[in-house]
Amino acid sequence: MTRKVLIVEDEPQNQFLFETLMEAFGYDYVTTDDGRDVVALSRSHKPSLILIDIQLPHISGLDVVAQVRADRDLKSTPIIAVTAFAMRGDAQRILEAGCDAYMSKPISIEPFRQTIDALLDGTPAPLEQPKRHPFAVSVANQ
Ligand code: MN
């Protein structure tokens, strides 16, 4: 059974990027632009991993993470936070909020894939990666 990733991202350009990468990596996905829907979507779709933009409208991505971590059935779901460049210094706050890993935009494809694979295999994920990577993709910084 193909594993499913819940993509929580409000920027259409980034949604498209993440969806394209999930297909390339061999995962199914469900996408929402509204963090308020994450708990309900996770209950219905049972994703193997949640990929969440921290900067969302209506609710902070960190508050969404707190909701997931407080839910008896969802609390062990791996979560990767994606942050804007300006938030790189907030790594500790993001990890303390309950995320398993975080990555700054622009996302570098290979470290991103390795992080997802590591979380889904139950092995420790690399944390922040070097900013410069030959396959770095520029995405909207929001
Ligand atoms: Mn955003």
Side-chain angles (χ1 to χ4, degrees):
M1 193 173 112
T2 305
R3 288 181 290 194
K4 187 180 290 182
V5 174
L6 174 57
I7 300 169
V8 190
E9 167 65 65
D10 61 300
E11 173 63 41
Q13 185 181 349
N14 292 346
Q15 288 179 356
F16 179 76
L17 171 69
F18 291 137
E19 290 171 351
T20 301
L21 290 176
M22 289 311 113
E23 287 184 18
F25 299 163
Y27 299 121
D28 283 340
Y29 59 82
V30 175
T31 305
T32 181
D33 60 4
D34 193 336
R36 297 172 297 186
D37 295 339
V38 166
V39 168
L41 284 171
S42 296
R43 287 186 171 281
S44 55
H45 289 278
K46 301 184 180 4
S48 299
L49 182 142
I50 297 171
L51 174 65
I52 185 165
D53 178 26
I54 292 300
Q55 292 165 305
L56 296 166
H58 312 302
I59 182 171
S60 161
L62 291 183
D63 289 338
V64 176
V65 172
Q67 290 178 358
V68 172
R69 289 292 178 248
D71 187 286
R72 186 185 59 192
D73 298 323
L74 305 175
K75 62 185 179 185
S76 60
T77 307
I79 300 176
I80 300 178
V82 181
T83 68
F85 180 78
M87 294 182 65
R88 284 182 69 200
D90 292 344
Q92 185 171 352
R93 187 168 64 94
I94 290 166
L95 295 175
E96 285 176 354
C99 298
D100 297 282
Y102 76 96
M103 307 205 73
S104 302
K105 300 172 183 175
I107 295 296
S108 297
I109 292 175
E110 188 58 23
F112 183 52
R113 187 188 64 77
Q114 289 172 357
T115 300
I116 293 173
D117 288 349
L119 285 171
L120 291 178
D121 290 340
T123 52
L127 294 179
E128 186 65 317
Q129 300 292 330
K131 290 303 294 177
R132 291 298 158 200
H133 186 276
F135 302 109
V137 175
S138 289
V139 296
N141 197 19
Q142 57 186 317

